């Protein structure tokens, strides 16, 4: 009897881990080809004081920049963390944050300095390895947004 409970518990933990770590496509979760409003908040230190810069972008539906951002997001995955399950709503250590809101009401926040993101008010992990994944993605998105 005791052995069967252990087996059931181990199986339940394996299913939970697989569900949490299963990769979900970021491009499928956020449709960047809809009309998208983007707010970029960039934090820095100048002469010993903290300052920030905000950039606002509006991308119409089916825009070239929206298509490029959608293709970029589709190259990345995200998965659940314990913060996703506990309702954690703070990502610490971000130096740049990109807030997206598309015409479907989907909210996405990407952060640099961390490998976490917000998707519809829930924290997820971006890809699997390395804290620089968020920084690389934010820089690539900003480069697309800043194109003339």
């Amino acid at each position: 009897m005791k052995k069967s409970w252990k087996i059931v518990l181990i199986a339940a933990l394996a299913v939970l881990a697989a569900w949490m770590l299963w990769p979900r496509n970021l491009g499928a979760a956020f449709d960047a080809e809809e009309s998208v409003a983007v707010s970029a908040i960039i934090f820095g230190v100048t002469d010993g004081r903290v300052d920030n810069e905000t950039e606002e972008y509006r991308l119409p539906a089916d825009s070239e920049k929206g298509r490029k951002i959608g293709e970029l997001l589709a190259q990345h995955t995200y998965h659940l963390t314990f913060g996703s399950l506990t309702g954690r709503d703070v990502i610490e250590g971000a130096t740049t944050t990109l807030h997206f809101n598309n015409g479907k009401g989907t909210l996405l926040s990407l952060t640099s300095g961390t490998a976490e993101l917000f998707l519809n008010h829930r924290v997820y992990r971006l890809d699997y390895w390395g804290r620089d994944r968020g920084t690389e993605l934010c820089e690539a998105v900003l480069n697309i947004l800043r194109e003339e």
Side-chain angles (χ1 to χ4, degrees), residues 5-94:
W5 279 106
K6 288 180 184 178
I7 292 171
V8 168
L9 179 61
I10 290 170
L13 289 174
V15 167
L16 176 65
W19 174 68
M20 286 182 64
L21 295 175
W22 191 262
R24 295 149 176 91
N25 186 286
L26 187 55
F30 185 83
D31 187 357
E33 293 187 33
E34 289 287 322
S35 63
V36 177
V38 183
S39 176
I41 303 169
I42 302 151
F43 294 97
V45 176
T46 306
D47 296 327
R49 62 184 180 92
V50 177
D51 54 307
N52 65 333
E53 176 185 333
T54 301
E55 300 174 15
E56 302 284 334
Y57 301 92
R58 297 228 179 265
L59 306 179
D62 299 322
S63 69
E64 181 67 19
K65 289 182 181 182
R67 185 189 60 72
K68 287 180 180 180
I69 290 171
E71 289 173 358
L72 183 63
L73 294 178
Q75 297 172 16
H76 293 273
T77 61
Y78 66 98
H79 63 273
L80 291 164
T81 67
F82 287 112
S84 309
L85 302 177
T86 61
R88 192 182 70 164
D89 60 358
V90 174
I91 295 177
E92 296 177 0

